[in-house]
Amino acid sequence: MLHMINKSPFESNSLEDCLRYASDGSPILLYEDGIYGALAGSALEARMKEIMAKHDVYVLKEDVALRGIEKLIDGVKEVDYSGFVGLVEENKAASW
Amino acid sequence: MLHMINKSPFESNSLEDCLRYASDGSPILLYEDGIYGALAGSALEARMKEIMAKHDVYVLKEDVALRGIEKLIDGVKEVDYSGFVGLVEENKAASW
Amino acid sequence: MKFGILILEGPYQHEASDSAYNFAKAAVEKGHEISRVFFYQDGVLNATKLMDVQRDDRHIQERWTDLSKEHGIEYIVCVAAAKRRGIVDEVVAENFKIGGLGMLTDLAIEADRLVTFRA
Amino acid sequence: MKFGILILEGPYQHEASDSAYNFAKAAVEKGHEISRVFFYQDGVLNATKLMDVQRDDRHIQERWTDLSKEHGIEYIVCVAAAKRRGIVDEVVAENFKIGGLGMLTDLAIEADRLVTFRA
Amino acid sequence: MVVFRTAPYGSIYSFEGLENVVMMAAYEQDLTVLFIDDGVLALKKGMDNAATGIKDFSPTFKALEPVYDVEKLYIDGDSLKARGLTLDDLIIQPEVIAADQVDKMMEDQRNTMIF
Amino acid sequence: MVVFRTAPYGSIYSFEGLENVVMMAAYEQDLTVLFIDDGVLALKKGMDNAATGIKDFSPTFKALEPVYDVEKLYIDGDSLKARGLTLDDLIIQPEVIAADQVDKMMEDQRNTMIF
């Protein structure tokens, strides 16, 4: 499954909830306010690195640009909407 | 200030955020999905007891009844809408 | 005391407008004055008279209108927020009025207590 | 592939309908078929033709209508959700149709992928 | 598959998610319904809407199996426990599953909607 | 007093909260504006809306002091730090305050709106 997270992990538990259910290896897409989970140097960076040991973590480029975020945690992959569609081609999707 | 919390603390950080700013002694009202913070026997009970050492914690009776909750953490005070109005008479209000 | 109420979410989707209604009702029953209820953001959606509700559920717009008729409470629907959400004069229910954001400023200055109902 | 899209939040208040629109556009540009976009919960508010938007902002309803005209995508607005929110035939924009919840079930069964956009 | 993960009443996700389940039940013989996170709270016994007038939709949850023939009802045990609840507190008793079964359950269904 | 505590774009709280500040600035000479929690993210430099068409409202935040004469702009330093940001990352530089000053700031104002 592709697990889609659109809420800021500083405010919502949807990412952590989702991780309780997500199988190792299932990809995670951060979009809308979810992209703040990928902020380099944040208090969540260490936790995100743990997550990235088990999951590919993607961020939606257009939402990153809209919010003016330049520095993402190393290893986070950027996809544009076309890449988002590609992830949904390869995986069934769950929106948390 | 009366600090009003309407989101489930199992899902949202609004209660914890609010507590970073709330002065000791300021009352906290749990209403709508916020009332789940007062569930007896939950994983949050120990944390709520710490909070109650510094703040009077109120729950809105009507929202508790609507959700079928019978067992509240000891020391949580129940108010109905009239009591809610009373809290706002006594305090300026902030809705988190 | 003079109360002001600010509503930021629409009916049914969130409990905010239910809570605001019940709070307003309890406040007037305790003898307080509600200077104004200001509908902002998706709160403007409370004002549509096109709402058509199942018989076993509350009718949120009618309930607001009735409360205003009974107690003379003023309801202002923010024009800027309303426009982008398709709430225009033709669909606005009885006792709701479209008005400017300045009326929220007035309310914040005038009311002894301003209570926000939001998501 | 056949994609289905489900939208649960209204325009402007949440980014959900923006994301859904951009996803739908990217999907058709990649050659996929969008079987249907189903508007449910506050998602039904995307369909009002009464929306009136500032010139420097996107017009969410018109953008949806244009996308449908260009690519023949079907938009269904859930009748039950629409009724309680005041979205009735008279205010529904071009290329949106009010329909039953059964059309969401059909979509979930038929589409190879169903993607939900929500709060 | 339909997943309930939102608390009832604070938002409409739970209620309109349920209306959708009732509709799906008429078409889909193999419908799976799962309760996780705050979604389990929608099944609490003893709801009383007299003071608020907000529609109490728990009778419809209760009717899912006997009336609408939805037999595949599951619940995450850890979500219940974290909220201080047991199956006895609920109006129906879905089959308890562990969190690590959820991803595969979703994968096995054609599509998943989370409310 | 107006408090921004929600991230921009995901919901309209930040944008319509700002429209309200612009209006209040015309009436209230003593208006206080505070950024906390995810609200600080609305001030990030370098926003680019070309790909989404969603209105970029950061120019209005930038104009609060020079154009609308809002001088009392404050920000919670811990909220910034938790998000890996410093004042240099922002389009304006509000005065940094500590979290424990916030309750009193609200108390000192006639009314507080949180967006």
Side-chain angles (χ1 to χ4, degrees), chain E residues 17-102:
Chain E
L18 178 60
E19 290 196 323
N20 175 48
V21 165
V22 167
M23 181 56 66
M24 290 190 87
Y27 290 62
E28 259 264 49
Q29 301 189 343
D30 201 38
L31 180 61
T32 295
V33 176
L34 170 66
F35 298 88
I36 63 175
D37 301 332
D38 278 350
V40 306
L41 299 165
L43 302 179
K44 182 72 187 61
K45 276 182 188 161
M47 291 180 179
D48 176 359
N49 68 344
T52 58
I54 296 177
K55 182 165 170 170
D56 172 11
F57 46 93
S58 57
T60 310
F61 275 116
K62 208 164 174 174
L64 282 184
E65 190 163 1
V67 178
Y68 300 106
D69 293 321
V70 180
E71 287 172 0
K72 297 188 173 175
L73 296 162
Y74 302 96
I75 191 166
D76 171 47
D78 290 341
S79 296
L80 259 185
K81 203 177 159 204
R83 287 157 187 80
L85 301 175
T86 67
L87 283 182
D88 291 342
D89 295 309
L90 307 185
I91 51 169
I92 56 173
Q93 280 68 46
E95 185 180 333
V96 175
I97 59 158
D100 61 11
Q101 298 173 253
V102 170

Side-chain angles (χ1 to χ4, degrees), chain D residues 9 40 84 108-109 114, chain E residues 13 16 19 24 110-111 114:
Chain D
E9 291 289 336
Y40 195 33
R84 62 172 73 94
I109 293 171
L114 180 66
Chain E
Y13 276 76
E16 291 191 330
E19 290 196 323
M24 290 190 87
R110 185 154 179 95
N111 281 303
I114 305 180

Side-chain angles (χ1 to χ4, degrees), chain A residues 4 6-7 31-33 63 66-67 81-82 84-86 88-93 95-96, chain D residues 1 3 15-20 22-23 26-27 30 32 112-119:
Chain A
M4 295 166 52
N6 70 340
K7 291 184 247 343
Y31 68 116
E32 298 178 8
D33 290 343
D63 278 327
L66 180 63
R67 289 161 176 81
Y81 268 102
S82 178
F84 179 4
V85 171
V88 179
E89 289 166 7
E90 290 157 28
N91 305 274
K92 294 177 181 178
S95 302
W96 293 83
Chain D
M1 267 182 164
F3 283 76
E15 198 180 346
S17 54
D18 290 286
S19 301
N22 285 309
F23 180 87
K30 283 190 93 170
H32 294 291
D112 299 305
R113 295 284 187 270
L114 180 66
V115 186
T116 305
F117 292 89
R118 53 169 290 163

Side-chain angles (χ1 to χ4, degrees), chain F residues 13 16-17 22 28 45 47-48 53 58 65 74 87 102 105:
Chain F
Y13 277 76
E16 291 192 330
V22 167
E28 259 264 50
K45 276 181 188 162
M47 291 180 180
D48 176 1
S58 58
E65 190 162 2
Y74 302 95
L87 282 183
V102 170
M105 283 180 77

Side-chain angles (χ1 to χ4, degrees), chain D residues 24-94:
Chain D
K25 198 160 164 281
V28 292
E29 282 167 5
K30 283 190 93 170
H32 294 291
E33 181 192 331
I34 308 273
S35 306
R36 178 177 292 155
V37 181
F38 194 88
F39 296 86
Y40 195 33
Q41 300 190 179
D42 262 8
V44 302
L45 301 164
N46 281 276
T48 176
K49 66 180 173 198
L50 303 178
M51 237 178 247
D52 180 6
V53 183
Q54 286 167 300
R55 214 180 284 183
D56 58 347
D57 203 355
R58 77 281 188 208
H59 192 302
I60 291 183
Q61 171 265 312
E62 285 179 2
R63 208 168 58 171
W64 279 118
T65 296
D66 292 346
L67 185 72
S68 170
K69 282 185 181 170
E70 200 174 332
H71 300 285
I73 305 170
E74 182 181 69
Y75 298 155
I76 299 295
V77 177
C78 173
V79 59
K83 271 182 147 179
R84 62 172 73 94
R85 291 170 177 85
I87 300 297
V88 296
D89 278 324
E90 304 100 273
V91 304
V92 167
E94 226 185 328

